[in-house]
Amino acid sequence: MTLLPPRLYVDVHILQTVPPANLNRDDQGNPKEAYYGGTRRSRVSSQAWKRATRMHFTEYMPADDLATRTRRVASDLTCALRTRTGLEEEPASRLADALLAPLKISAGRKRGDTAYLLFYGRRQLDNVVGLVGDRAAELAALDDKDLQAEVEQLAVEEQFSTGHPLDVALFGRMVADIAALRVDAAVQVAHALSTHAVSLEFDYFTAVDDLVEEERETGAGMIGSIGFNSATLYRYATVSLQQLRENLGNDAAAVDGTRKFLTSFARSVPSGYRNSFAHQTLPSLVSVVVRSDQPVNLVTAYEKPVAPSAGIAAESARCLAEEHRTAVDGWGEAPAFSAVCHAFRDETAQCLEEAFGPAVTFPELLNGLDEYLSSAIAEAGR
Amino acid sequence: MSPAASDVPDRAGPGDRAVLVLRLAAPLQSWGAQGAFNVRDTRPEPTKSGVTGLLAAALGLPRGAPLDELLALRMGVRADVPGTLLRDYHAVSDFRGHPLPQAGVSAKGVQKPTAPAKYTHVTSRYYLQDALFVAALEGPPELLNRLVAALRAPHFFLALGRRSCPPTQPLVLGIENGDLESVLRGLPWQASERAKNSYARKLGRRRGLDGPFRPATVPCSVTLEHADGDDVLQDVPLTFDPHDRAFLGRRVRQEWLRVHTGFSDPDAATEIEADQDIHDPFELLGR
């Protein structure tokens, strides 16, 4: 692997309180849980939060810069060929199939489908169309054998293995039968766990039938129950700057990608039962710690669950600060850079300042990180 | 808290074999062995392929790289806290809202759509929650030193069997002299203070004592690689090349070790007394 120095891991620690909610449910419809430190915790799976992050990207990034995760790569390509070259449906579809043939992606049940979801960038598809250029009509007129020979001259696979969109570069791509299309993820996301013991609650509800009520009859139209809990979650993710540079092929893009990931990871919330619980909150603490040795997950701060009497969010923040100091003193090197943005006051704020430095606003935190990463890369290049 | 990695002296002498001791702990870990498709299982303890993968990631080996050097390390795993099984429900749908195909194929090898239409496909991922293992690797000191350096500054992310399971620190407990078995026997119990105290309280209650009972030792199960072992585990990877997945078997011996609990004031119970902690169905009736 040709990963260039510097090796930097950007650890993200977030504390976020959600009111009664059911963000991520299991097969019983109840919020996911796990046992940690012998007590029951609320859990939101890493997959759920990664998807929420990806969906948040669409709010501020142009669709062209993002990836699509679909089985319809062939029909998508057909569509792009038709708009760009003016071919008819039939020849465009034949040309699309021929262009994708060298990739050897197993075909799906339906025409135009692949056997699994392929995660690719809109720009990558445009580049494939670009390879054909003005020759679309000429190529479409060839017979199967000549077309195959012509297409083999074009670097289709290369288009899919370079210039990845940010979401593919961050979360990786696994294509079981084509090693060249595989992208190693540049971010590792842990399952979010509550910092305290949580028990499952049920909201028993009855829905009233308006017309029946007018007739002064009693009884509910329907009854049911929804499982929920409320939790202060510890969320952890780490970005490998080195891997992200490798995936994006560009220093500035990697620094910018880290910033975008941080923005969307911090601001997104999985949308499960959002209309029932309106659980959209913002984190009460976001901390970034850049380390040149190894990522350090601070979930051990909550192995002993935070007691409710102490004020859960503030106590969670103090535990995090303490665990961070233990980590720095005990193992691993001192962090290369750290910053924190939070909503705490007094003693808690002081604890956090001692551990992570003075509190800044979220944009300041992003700018500071940006500046640090850019200068670290510039220095390594010298 | 167990001693920090940097405080653990490197006790490896000049001999040609030493033992690297790793502490594998996190809220969730998952050591898959057979799971494929919709069910992703976990073994009850770390597998050789999982631990080899962790080491290879630290070293930055590419997926197709030969693993002979790492596979030659003799592995022993001690379950300090075995944890419990967690099933994670994971649903998959077709994003266009189309019904999903049937699991089976027709004689023509075609998957028919489900009837009645089924829109969500359920996969189950199994994890071990709240578990803590000690993995010991016996091999040449030169390689072990290289591994310690790599684990403290890993090339790729480290994970306990699955990427969403980052390890907690300290991961490396150090390099010890001696053979696998004596190192695993001698290393004190790694459970957290909290887990230790809750064990002592439970033991005290079970014995009808007023306070906690802090035995000098605790039984821990171990799995040791051994040429004459009775069991075979099919978890030795040939390579991590996704095109060439194949696993060989290794012979292991399973046993129980009495491990020092490290309680500062252990109750003056002999090891034999701790062994008598057996199930007595008549206890419920009272005597």
Side-chain angles (χ1 to χ4, degrees), chain A residues 10-16 233-238 262 265-266 283-291 295-299 302 320 324 339-341 356 365:
Chain A
V10 183
D11 285 342
V12 189
H13 309 281
I14 295 179
L15 287 175
Q16 183 162 5
L233 298 166
Y234 169 68
R235 299 165 52 200
Y236 170 77
T238 176
L262 210 65
F265 184 60
S284 43
L285 178 149
V286 180
S287 153
V288 284
V289 179
V290 183
R291 309 189 66 101
V296 177
N297 177 358
L298 297 177
V299 70
Y302 309 110
L320 187 74
H324 175 67
V340 66
C341 150
F356 299 104
L365 177 138

Side-chain angles (χ1 to χ4, degrees), chain B residues 58-71:
Chain B
L59 290 171
L61 297 184
R63 278 207 178 75
L67 300 168
D68 308 351
E69 200 182 28
L70 296 177
L71 293 177

Side-chain angles (χ1 to χ4, degrees), chain B residues 250-272:
Chain B
R250 60 183 175 122
R251 289 205 158 268
V252 294
R253 222 175 59 201
Q254 319 242 7
E255 33 183 297
W256 291 85
L257 286 186
R258 294 226 138 260
V259 174
H260 292 283
T261 50
F263 283 121
S264 52
D265 52 346
D267 289 326
T270 60
E271 299 198 354
I272 293 151

